[in-house]
Amino acid sequence: MTADDPAARLAETHARIARAAATANRPTDTVTLVAVSKTHAAAAIRPLIAAGQRVFGENRVQEARAKWPELREETPDIALHLVGQLQSNKAEDAVALFDAIHSLDRPSLVTALAKAMDRAGRRPPLFVQVNIGAEDQKGGCAIAELPALLASAKAAALPVVGLMCVPPLKLEPAPYFALLAKLARDNGLAGLSMGMSSDYETAVTLGATHVRVGTALFGAR
Ligand SMILES: *Cc1c(COP(=O)(O)O)cnc(C)c1O
């Protein structure tokens, strides 16, 4: 990625997604590019919106709430995804603000999101985040706890559409993406949120429906 204007970076990213999708014999429109704009100011985001990007990701409720109302007023058809950890006491804000949440990872959040959705009358789709590399410091539910978490989400009528993961840094990501795809298949879930700037093409070849790309679009944070 050498181009430094945002429109060119966006076009290059779309081209790479299309190439990876073709390799896997998948239609490219089965992959949603989530442009992760965390830490970047509105001025850095507007050029991507002008270039046609409509789906954006943020990792903090507070940052999103400060940044996006104005941008959304300018461009109403923006979809905003929460890709970062969610605290239960922010569930209500998150449900009001985001069009998808990628970080459901524990029973207490099932309860908080169910309550927030009932109260808001708004049910953004959810991805269950899986700690796919069983890393101590990482968010996500343990693989062994996934069936129980999915069952409790179902009992609470939460709109779970897929699984999400962030594989261990510095290790080959493909086996982790393949494992997440298998877990989704086994649990009858179609959505797969996986792949970031350094590995989104690999993720697409292994079935990603949502790639979360920041640096490759916006430059370094
Ligand atoms: C920041 C972030 C991304 C984007 O990472 P890049 O390497 O900049 O593409 C994707 N997913 C999550 C959960 C993130 O926090």
Side-chain angles (χ1 to χ4, degrees):
M1 195 91 21
T2 51
D4 39 50
D5 101 88
R9 286 196 294 249
L10 181 62
E12 170 72 13
T13 305
H14 277 303
R16 287 174 182 239
I17 289 171
R19 217 177 303 140
T23 302
N25 199 22
R26 303 177 55 201
T28 186
D29 66 1
T30 58
V31 183
T32 298
L33 172 62
V34 181
V36 179
S37 50
K38 65 187 186 200
T39 77
H40 294 288
I45 297 170
R46 281 196 187 92
L48 275 192
I49 296 174
Q53 180 64 25
R54 289 295 179 270
V55 184
F56 289 86
E58 290 284 342
N59 71 334
R60 287 166 187 272
V61 174
Q62 252 158 319
E63 181 182 343
R65 205 169 48 181
K67 228 157 66 179
W68 279 95
E70 188 186 345
L71 289 165
R72 278 177 144 167
E73 211 158 288
E74 296 164 10
T75 312
D77 62 335
I78 298 278
L80 202 53
H81 290 217
L82 178 64
V83 301
Q85 252 202 333
L86 178 59
Q87 294 170 284
S88 294
N89 64 6
K90 299 254 172 67
E92 220 163 312
D93 286 342
V95 164
L97 189 59
F98 291 97
D99 302 297
I101 295 172
H102 294 233
S103 49
L104 171 56
D105 64 354
R106 59 193 189 277
S108 60
L109 208 43
V110 168
T111 313
L113 284 169
K115 204 159 118 192
M117 286 186 185
D118 285 345
R119 206 170 293 172
R122 202 171 177 272
R123 313 186 72 74
L126 304 172
F127 293 81
V128 171
Q129 182 175 353
V130 179
N131 185 356
I132 201 73
E135 297 173 280
D136 284 341
Q137 75 285 11
K138 208 164 254 178
C141 100
I143 291 173
E145 286 160 15
L146 180 61
L149 186 61
L150 288 172
S152 73
K154 192 172 180 183
L158 290 185
V160 173
V161 297
L163 301 181
M164 178 273 212
C165 77
V166 180
L169 211 68
K170 291 177 181 155
L171 293 183
E172 165 58 45
Y176 297 100
F177 292 153
L179 177 56
L180 193 74
K182 181 190 181 321
L183 291 169
R185 229 172 17 247
D186 290 351
N187 287 285
L189 294 167
L192 275 176
S193 169
M194 57 189 198
M196 305 175 26
S197 289
S198 59
D199 54 21
Y200 67 89
E201 292 157 279
T202 303
V204 168
T205 64
L206 291 164
T209 60
H210 293 71
V211 292
R212 310 177 310 268
V213 178
T215 309
L217 292 170
F218 290 98
R221 285 183 293 272

